[in-house]
């Protein structure tokens, strides 16, 4: 069995059950797989789907899906989710999206456990045979602030709180009985259209050789370095548990660097397949799936970016191959 906490990178349909008008409830989301919208924020499968398939597991149903089967685990991830509570951002004048944070997802996790086991020991026994993903988190803790004009330094000041919240959540699922936990790091967000738009610079030296914003990538590197250090401490705290770090940052950088040999369109590596250029906020009318969002590109398989915030199925598939190999997961295929 497996369980997933996270944001839109791994949401398989929770947010569309909270907000039926969410862009991912409409085409062209899901057009590549399964051919209609499922609530996934892509044209098809996500990283969590490919890892499940590689492990020989069915795809996880979202927690909020009524009458869904949870025999093989549950997906608690919610698009727009932050590690930190909404009250933290509101106190700083940053408007978060009204979606479940990591803390709320943990409450869902606890509630679910109470429905399948009667004692802590019983729960621990069930979780001991499970794989739990805690994240990725941090994308939206950074993204909401960047989109609302906050500086890199202002955001970096609270990144240690983001890391500590992720570590506390990981500790909680381990103490509940999870013996195997995967904690992904953040992406090189300076390579994503949303950040390239909202944090754009007139200084050519602000960009690296791949066209990514150095300042934003330095910020996510800062988060990832702190997270890995904290995970090392957690491994000392729980020496009998398997605690793995999934390196989304370098898996994506490798994808971007190797894109020409992987069949991606090299003229559009930093452009979104779907939506109106520059309209990268899900609340914008021009965002993919919204009123003025228009059609997706003819062939998403040659694009890395789907809607400026999320990736295409093909990008996730390629990233998953790297991640599965690096994590050393015992796969069936």
């Amino acid at each position: 069995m497996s369980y997933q906490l996270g944001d839109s990178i791994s949401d398989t349909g929770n947010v569309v059950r909270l907000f039926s008008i969410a862009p991912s409830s409409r085409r062209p989301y899901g057009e590549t797989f399964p051919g209609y919208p499922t609530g996934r924020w892509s044209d098809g499968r996500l990283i969590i789907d490919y890892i499940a398939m590689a492990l020989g597991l069915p795809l996880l149903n979202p927690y909020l899906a009524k009458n869904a089967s949870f025999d093989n685990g549950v997906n608690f991830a919610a698009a727009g989710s932050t590690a930190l509570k909404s009250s933290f951002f509101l106190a700083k004048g940053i408007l978060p999206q009204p979606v479940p944070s990591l803390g709320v997802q943990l409450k869902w996790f606890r509630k679910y456990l109470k429905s399948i086991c009667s004692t802590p020991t019983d729960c621990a026994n069930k979780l001991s045979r499970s794989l739990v993903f805690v994240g990725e988190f941090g994308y939206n803790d950074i993204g909401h602030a960047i989109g609302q004009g906050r500086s890199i330094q202002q955001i970096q000041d609270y990144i240690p709180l983001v890391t500590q919240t992720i570590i506390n959540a990981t500790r909680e699922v381990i103490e509940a009985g999870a013996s195997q936990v995967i904690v992904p790091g953040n992406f090189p967000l300076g390579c994503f259209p949303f950040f390239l738009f909202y944090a754009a610079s007139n200084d050519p030296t602000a960009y690296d050789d791949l066209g990514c914003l150095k300042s934003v990538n330095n910020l996510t590197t800062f988060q990832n370095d702190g997270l890995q250090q904290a995970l090392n401490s957690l491994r000392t705290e729980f020496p009998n548990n398997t605690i793995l770090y999934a390196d989304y940052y370098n898996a994506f950088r490798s994808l971007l660097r190797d894109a020409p040999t992987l069949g991606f369109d090299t003229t559009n590596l930093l452009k979104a397949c779907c939506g109106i250029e520059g309209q990268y906020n899900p609340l914008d009318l021009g965002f993919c799936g919204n009123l003025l969002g228009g059609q997706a590109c003819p062939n998403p398989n040659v694009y890395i970016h789907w809607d400026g915030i999320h990736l295409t199925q093909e990008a996730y598939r390629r990233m998953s191959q790297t991640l599965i190999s690096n994590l050393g997961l015992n796969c069936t295929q």
Side-chain angles (χ1 to χ4, degrees):
M1 296 179 71
S2 60
Y3 299 94
Q4 173 77 56
L5 304 165
D7 56 21
S8 56
I9 302 302
S10 46
D11 183 357
T12 56
N14 281 314
V15 159
V16 295
R17 287 170 170 82
L18 290 172
F19 305 101
S20 61
I21 60 171
S24 63
S25 68
R26 296 184 291 276
R27 294 178 183 273
Y29 287 88
E31 69 171 22
T32 302
F33 174 85
Y36 54 86
T38 63
R40 288 169 173 80
W41 293 75
S42 181
D43 62 308
R45 297 178 180 89
L46 311 177
I47 290 173
I48 181 62
D49 295 324
Y50 283 109
I51 291 178
M53 291 163 62
L55 293 173
L57 300 172
L59 305 189
L60 291 182
N61 285 319
Y63 174 69
L64 296 179
K66 294 180 179 179
N67 303 318
S69 170
F70 297 136
D71 292 344
N72 296 286
V74 189
N75 191 323
F76 301 97
S81 181
T82 53
L84 300 177
K85 295 179 180 178
S86 296
S87 57
F88 172 87
F89 293 103
L90 290 172
K92 290 186 174 293
I94 300 169
L95 295 177
Q97 293 184 14
V99 298
S101 65
L102 172 53
V104 174
Q105 292 178 40
L106 282 173
K107 289 180 181 178
W108 289 352
F109 180 70
R110 294 184 209 113
K111 183 178 180 181
Y112 169 76
L113 286 182
K114 288 182 179 179
S115 73
I116 64 167
C117 48
S118 55
T119 67
T121 301
D122 186 20
C123 291
N125 288 335
K126 284 184 166 60
L127 285 176
S128 67
R129 300 182 296 274
S130 301
L131 177 63
V132 181
F133 291 82
V134 183
E136 151 282 335
F137 282 101
Y139 189 125
N140 295 305
D141 297 82
I142 294 173
H144 295 335
I146 289 280
Q148 294 174 49
R150 298 307 188 272
S151 70
I152 295 295
Q153 187 57 56
Q154 286 175 313
I155 300 169
Q156 184 165 317
D157 288 345
Y158 65 74
I159 289 299
L161 294 176
V162 172
T163 298
Q164 192 56 55
T165 304
I166 296 169
I167 292 298
N168 290 345
T170 306
R171 180 182 291 107
E172 178 172 333
V173 299
I174 291 173
E175 290 178 339
S179 60
Q180 301 179 82
V181 181
I182 294 178
V183 185
N186 210 337
F187 292 85
L189 298 179
C191 303
F192 283 53
F194 174 91
F195 295 90
L196 287 165
F197 177 78
Y198 282 102
S201 173
N202 292 323
D203 181 3
T205 64
Y207 299 84
D208 65 17
D209 61 315
L210 295 175
C212 307
L213 277 164
K214 296 177 185 177
S215 60
V216 179
N217 280 353
N218 288 341
L219 179 62
T220 52
T221 297
F222 176 75
Q223 179 193 339
N224 291 339
D225 288 348
L227 180 60
Q228 290 180 79
Q229 291 173 14
L231 288 174
N232 284 335
S233 297
L234 204 61
R235 292 185 185 104
T236 301
E237 189 177 340
F238 299 100
N240 297 321
N241 294 72
T242 300
I243 304 172
L244 301 175
Y245 173 76
D247 191 352
Y248 281 16
Y249 188 100
N250 284 306
F252 182 88
R253 291 282 293 185
S254 296
L255 168 68
L256 189 58
R257 196 173 294 280
D258 297 339
T261 62
L262 297 175
F264 290 100
D265 180 356
T266 56
T267 64
N268 290 304
L269 293 180
L270 299 177
K271 293 183 179 180
C273 166
C274 181
I276 296 175
E277 189 168 357
Q279 302 276 349
Y280 302 129
N281 186 321
L283 301 178
D284 290 337
L285 290 178
F287 189 78
C288 181
N290 278 345
L291 186 62
L292 303 177
Q295 300 296 313
C297 60
N299 186 6
N301 287 335
V302 299
Y303 275 71
I304 289 176
H305 296 283
W306 170 243
D307 56 16
I309 296 175
H310 313 98
L311 307 183
T312 61
Q313 172 178 278
E314 181 62 13
Y316 285 137
R317 185 180 76 85
R318 293 290 187 176
M319 276 190 66
S320 299
Q321 291 174 338
T322 300
L323 292 166
I324 290 167
S325 174
N326 291 345
L327 288 168
L329 296 178
N330 184 20
C331 300
T332 61
Q333 52 182 312

